[in-house]
Amino acid sequence: MLAIAGKGVARGGMNASRIRSQSLLLASKSYSSTAKQSNKQSISIVSSHPSGRRFNASDELLYEHEMTVRDALNSALDEEMSADPKVFIMGEEVGEYQGAYKITKGLLDKYGPDRVVDTPITEAGFTGIGVGAAYHGLRPVVEFMTFNFSMQAIDHIINSAAKSNYMSAGQISVPIVFRGPNGAAAGVGAQHSQCYAAWYSSCPGLKVLAPYSSEDARGLLKAAIRDPDPVVFLENELLYGESFPVSAEVLDSSFSLPIGKAKIELEGKDVTITAFSKMVGFALKAAEILAKEGISAEVINLRSIRPLDRSTINASVRKTNRLVTVEEGFPQHGVGAEICASVVEDSFEYLDAPVERISGSDVPTPYAANLERMAFPQIEDIVRAAKRACYRSVPMAATA
């Protein structure tokens, strides 16, 4: 069946799929020149990396290469497909076109059309095929050209993939990964700009991951493919071309990161800032600005949205006594709201200030560039929120 899908169905869907990808490809031109510089040798001493992270001289010993997020994802797929013949990838333009964002570049030539399966434009169709293949012991990686299109397949993701292990009393495992770009890009309008972290993380049976750096992308995707349960893997297309330092350990084929564990990107003592995906970089840059004003911010890269690393978040809040949550999604019922609930339930007595939530605006994403910028969190929003939490600025209510 998979061979038929790879050799026959794909031929009819290629041209139409390419037409639909054009608007997304415009935004993906944030490839930047860094996309062509994977594995660049020795970063020397980097005082202000594009990621927002600061590096010390000692980091030279650990971070010997740079890798783009795109190459991190591609290498993770390649190595897992090489290690396990049950792993295959399917989706629109993943084969002959090598992926709308070139994440699957070179995989068709290496593994053939039985394992790199081009599909027609039918998310419900190929997602259902993928879930069925997982039922029978294969390990599909289903690519959505954008997670906005996963709404066409949400019945299979929620009712077929997420619930089957529970409903079968553990007799059916569903080792499948749903991956693709999530959240806002640039100028692609309301229907292509939603963040699905809160949507999918509300569903029992799913694991939801959101990488930020190349280390995150490589380690978390490997963990997702190896996991026995369905994983929603939320990438960000504006990060694909970003380069990050990686260590020799990260480049090892056995490397993976634990699902459900956050990373403290920057230690601090005055305020905790939680973020995921692209917002981690914004939080790190905000922390640099705050440091110049005498505020020491601790930045937590969530990495895993479900399961959520509540212990790391609460331990940080108990140290700093203040919390700012940052996300691009809608404010109501968001990831930040869940973090707030966890802190109020477990660490309320440690808070010295109200929790600050920074999120996308509660409106469909505008198309106009100036309005689009206003609709999503900016670095200055995070700085202002941290200052409010530290009582270093006039509260918004007082200025009304």
Side-chain angles (χ1 to χ4, degrees), residues 215-252:
E215 176 182 319
D216 292 355
R218 186 169 156 81
L220 291 175
L221 184 54
K222 281 175 165 285
I225 293 172
R226 298 172 189 177
D227 199 86
D229 297 313
V231 178
V232 171
F233 196 84
L234 303 173
E235 301 156 13
N236 186 290
E237 72 175 76
L238 296 181
L239 290 176
Y240 284 150
E242 290 289 334
S243 288
F244 293 85
V246 292
S247 65
E249 178 189 6
V250 173
L251 295 175
D252 190 278

Side-chain angles (χ1 to χ4, degrees), residues 163-390:
K163 299 178 181 178
S164 291
N165 185 261
Y166 177 84
M167 295 179 70
S168 68
Q171 296 181 75
I172 298 176
S173 293
V174 192
I176 188 171
V177 177
F178 306 102
R179 54 153 296 271
N182 169 72
V188 292
Q191 294 168 317
H192 292 170
S193 300
Q194 296 173 122
C195 175
Y196 286 89
W199 291 55
Y200 287 117
S201 64
S202 68
C203 181
L206 289 179
K207 296 175 182 176
V208 181
L209 307 178
Y212 160 60
S213 65
S214 300
E215 176 182 319
D216 292 355
R218 186 169 156 81
L220 291 175
L221 184 54
K222 281 175 165 285
I225 293 172
R226 298 172 189 177
D227 199 86
D229 297 313
V231 178
V232 171
F233 196 84
L234 303 173
E235 301 156 13
N236 186 290
E237 72 175 76
L238 296 181
L239 290 176
Y240 284 150
E242 290 289 334
S243 288
F244 293 85
V246 292
S247 65
E249 178 189 6
V250 173
L251 295 175
D252 190 278
S253 61
S254 64
F255 176 74
S256 70
L257 290 171
I259 293 175
K261 184 64 178 174
K263 178 185 179 182
I264 298 177
E265 295 279 354
L266 179 69
E267 293 189 355
K269 60 184 178 63
D270 294 328
V271 59
T272 297
I273 303 175
T274 65
F276 60 93
S277 190
K278 188 180 76 171
M279 289 295 103
V280 177
F282 280 32
L284 288 168
K285 290 174 182 176
E288 286 191 11
I289 295 171
L290 292 165
K292 295 175 183 177
E293 302 189 31
I295 297 175
S296 173
E298 181 150 295
V299 177
I300 298 178
N301 173 7
L302 294 177
R303 284 182 168 171
S304 178
I305 311 301
R306 183 185 183 102
L308 187 65
D309 189 356
R310 300 171 191 272
S311 61
T312 293
I313 296 168
N314 278 279
S316 178
V317 170
R318 293 183 182 197
K319 177 176 70 172
T320 66
N321 310 115
R322 296 170 176 86
L323 173 64
V324 176
T325 70
V326 187
E327 64 186 304
E328 287 188 298
F330 300 129
Q332 186 159 323
H333 309 305
V335 175
E338 181 63 26
I339 292 173
C340 290
S342 176
V343 168
V344 167
E345 290 166 0
D346 298 335
S347 304
F348 179 75
E349 66 274 21
Y350 290 86
L351 288 172
D352 287 344
V355 175
E356 295 278 350
R357 276 197 303 152
I358 304 297
S359 69
S361 298
D362 198 21
V363 297
T365 303
Y367 179 73
N370 60 329
L371 297 179
E372 182 183 60
R373 188 181 190 279
M374 294 173 64
F376 292 106
Q378 304 299 323
I379 296 168
E380 54 266 30
D381 298 322
I382 304 171
V383 171
R384 284 194 292 265
K387 285 183 178 181
R388 287 196 298 270
C390 294

Side-chain angles (χ1 to χ4, degrees), residues 152-170:
Q152 302 292 328
I154 200 166
D155 180 57
H156 287 302
I157 297 171
I158 302 298
N159 287 323
S160 300
K163 299 178 181 178
S164 291
N165 185 261
Y166 177 84
M167 295 179 70
S168 68

